[in-house]
Amino acid sequence: MPALNAPRAHWASRFGFILAAAGSAIGLGNIWKFPYITGQNGGGAFVLVYLACIFLVGLPIMMAEFLIGRHGQRDAVGSFAALEGKGSPWCLVGWGGVLASFILLSFYSVVAGWSFDYIFKALTGGLSGRSPDEINALFGQLVGSAGQVIFWQALFVAGTVAIVIGGIRGGIERWSKILMPVLFLLLLLLFVRGMLSPGARAGLEFMFRPDFHKLTPAALLDALGHAFFTLSLGAGTMITYGSYLDRDADLFSLSLRITLLDTVVALLAGLAIFPVVFAAGLEPGAGPGLVFQTIPIVFSGLPFGSLLATVFFILLAFAALSSSISMLEVVVAYLIDEKRWPRLLATLLVGAAAFLVGIPSALSFNRWAEVTPLFGKNFFDLCDLLVSSYMLPLGGLMVAIYAGWFWKGAEEKAELVGPTRRPWLFPLWHFLLRFVAPAAVLIVLLNQIGILTG
Ligand code: PHE
């Protein structure tokens, strides 16, 4: 039995849990990153590989993370300790997750802060009546200003802290229930708008007609890395959220729904953005500025454009918030469960630390743009590379190996299949976890460090 030293908060409802976990999964990864890396990797073929990674690798690992957390009933490190004993080397996997979440929070807040600035721009009419070139230039002006970027980053971290202080039910669950449905509706609207635009056909072709010549080894790594990123895997997040679940939750159907929601939102975002890219003659491979440069263009030609743009950037900020709270919660839960810190203190201190550690990432777009400590990459890109390409896949790999090979099979089976009758579920899950997921991650990681391609 798990060590239950203190009464532990649990989600108030299944629905609340789904929205909170989907809220963690759905974030900048879907609306900001997915479209731009799809653009950089040439579209269709990349999307196909990404979908395969999501369902064959991501989904089984998400189930394993929920399982570990629910069984352990503690934070990411403590859950492994509850399963394998304190001091077990598996606790390192939990530690890796805590560290990854912390670094992630530090640079995620920088980009999330940009959406705050765009809310402000849209509200004050700064985006309306401008040409695409002018809108492009606005993005450059924002990220070029160290003061502005840091100001918004600070505000975003403060918002994250404010929610996490409220705890599981009163903070995270309550907010997710409001934010996620509105986000979904608005994306739907943008999608319809994209489909009605003259670039719709080109956008659809770009996303769904695979051209396998464009698939480089780096694209495979991006696709797999992004599958972990977008599902919040390998960062201790789903272990931590799973630890607030009770015993009879049906983990398969919960995970499937969360994964589907995440995928639909990413595809909707792509289908909203690419038609505009093509209609306005922009570059699909424009990089991190893509969403900030295209969405204002869509709205600038619409009635109530400023209002809609305001709503969009508010939602982008909220999607980012419902993800950043999950990163902060991983570290805070660790300090509460393992170190007995009060929630308030833990949240404030970790938030402040993440803000400070994020400053070099904020400066990477302006004053320190030329500072490239390693591999010719600036600080922001290095953090992103470290976390998205290495730490998350590696963390996910270890979870798969642990749950697939080391956890006592019978116990795990009983917990996974639970009261439902799905005889195919356990063998299929186990197979994916034991063979498919580790092979995929290993191939990609070895490739990345140049062992396979030399
Ligand atoms: N899934 C989030 C997104 O897509 C990012 C994230 C990664 C959150 C890992 C928590 C842990 O934006």
Side-chain angles (χ1 to χ4, degrees):
M1 282 301 285
L4 280 175
N5 303 327
R8 187 176 181 76
H10 278 95
W11 305 102
S13 68
R14 285 291 127 75
F15 182 62
F17 167 74
I18 293 183
L19 289 186
S24 166
I26 298 169
L28 295 175
N30 305 60
I31 304 171
W32 165 70
K33 202 169 186 184
F34 173 74
Y36 94 71
I37 58 176
T38 300
Q40 286 175 334
N41 286 304
F46 176 82
V47 174
L48 218 61
V49 176
Y50 164 79
L51 290 177
C53 292
I54 291 280
F55 288 97
L56 297 179
V57 180
L59 177 61
I61 293 181
M62 182 186 288
M63 290 161 64
E65 291 206 3
F66 284 152
L67 211 56
I68 292 170
R70 183 179 63 176
H71 189 94
Q73 291 288 306
R74 276 159 67 185
D75 63 289
V77 179
S79 284
F80 279 104
L83 277 157
E84 294 299 312
K86 217 177 154 80
S88 148
W90 290 110
C91 292
L92 284 175
V93 182
W95 267 104
V98 173
L99 192 66
S101 279
F102 178 77
I103 303 176
L104 190 56
L105 178 61
S106 79
F107 70 88
Y108 199 86
S109 306
V110 173
V111 179
W114 301 344
S115 59
F116 277 11
D117 181 80
Y118 270 72
I119 297 174
F120 184 71
K121 280 192 172 63
L123 255 184
T124 53
L127 298 175
S128 61
R130 291 187 186 263
S131 69
D133 282 346
E134 285 171 328
I135 287 178
N136 268 336
L138 281 179
F139 179 73
Q141 280 162 22
L142 164 66
V143 301
S145 157
Q148 286 189 46
V149 174
I150 293 177
F151 171 75
W152 295 115
Q153 173 208 2
L155 216 61
F156 182 81
V157 176
T160 306
V161 166
I163 298 180
V164 173
I165 285 178
I168 292 302
R169 285 193 191 188
I172 297 176
E173 183 169 352
R174 193 168 95 204
W175 280 93
S176 305
K177 270 195 197 152
I178 307 171
L179 305 178
M180 300 319 291
V182 191
L183 173 74
F184 205 72
L185 280 181
L186 202 84
L187 265 179
L188 223 51
L189 181 80
L190 280 175
F191 159 73
V192 172
R193 173 74 200 157
M195 288 301 103
L196 295 176
S197 106
R201 200 192 157 86
L204 278 169
E205 279 186 2
F206 182 74
M207 273 189 65
F208 295 122
R209 177 177 292 171
D211 173 358
F212 287 97
H213 298 299
K214 292 193 179 144
L215 213 55
T216 58
L220 293 178
L221 180 80
D222 270 1
L224 187 77
H226 189 62
F228 285 97
F229 186 89
T230 190
L231 294 177
S232 307
L233 300 176
T237 317
M238 295 308 186
I239 299 183
T240 308
Y241 273 22
S243 76
Y244 305 118
L245 273 176
D246 47 49
R247 294 247 149 221
D248 51 348
D250 177 359
L251 295 181
F252 171 65
S253 82
L254 289 173
S255 310
L256 186 64
R257 273 184 261 180
I258 294 162
T259 306
L260 283 173
L261 280 175
D262 185 79
T263 307
V264 169
V265 169
L267 294 178
L268 281 180
L271 291 173
I273 289 171
F274 285 116
V276 189
V277 170
F278 292 110
L282 298 172
E283 265 301 303
L290 193 65
V291 73
F292 296 97
Q293 290 161 341
T294 51
I295 292 294
I297 298 179
V298 193
F299 288 127
S300 72
L302 281 182
F304 306 110
S306 291
L307 181 69
L308 288 177
T310 310
V311 178
F312 175 82
F313 286 109
I314 290 179
L315 290 172
L316 183 62
F318 279 144
L321 261 179
S322 63
S323 299
S324 63
I325 54 183
S326 72
M327 301 166 200
L328 182 54
E329 179 65 21
V330 170
V331 189
V332 167
Y334 165 73
L335 292 171
I336 295 178
D337 286 348
E338 305 306 307
K339 305 284 171 212
R340 302 266 162 257
W341 284 29
R343 175 171 283 271
L344 182 69
L345 178 72
T347 312
L348 288 174
L349 281 185
V350 177
F355 167 68
L356 291 177
V357 172
I359 289 180
S361 290
L363 295 175
S364 300
F365 295 90
N366 35 70
R367 294 208 192 132
W368 288 8
E370 307 305 318
V371 181
T372 50
L374 269 177
F375 315 124
K377 288 186 180 289
N378 64 33
F379 212 84
F380 179 94
D381 290 337
L382 275 178
C383 288
D384 187 24
L385 179 77
L386 177 70
V387 173
S388 314
S389 298
Y390 289 102
M391 294 185 82
L392 302 185
L394 206 64
L397 171 69
M398 296 319 285
V399 165
I401 292 181
Y402 172 72
W405 295 93
F406 288 90
W407 196 354
K408 294 182 214 70
E411 194 175 61
E412 193 187 8
K413 183 172 173 181
E415 281 202 36
L416 177 67
V417 183
T420 62
R421 266 173 253 108
R422 294 195 193 98
W424 50 270
L425 179 59
F426 186 75
L428 178 64
W429 176 73
H430 223 207
F431 174 76
L432 291 172
L433 213 56
R434 291 186 126 192
F435 302 105
V436 178
V441 180
L442 273 178
I443 290 174
V444 169
L445 279 180
L446 292 181
N447 198 351
Q448 169 77 353
I449 49 183
I451 292 183
L452 293 184
T453 46

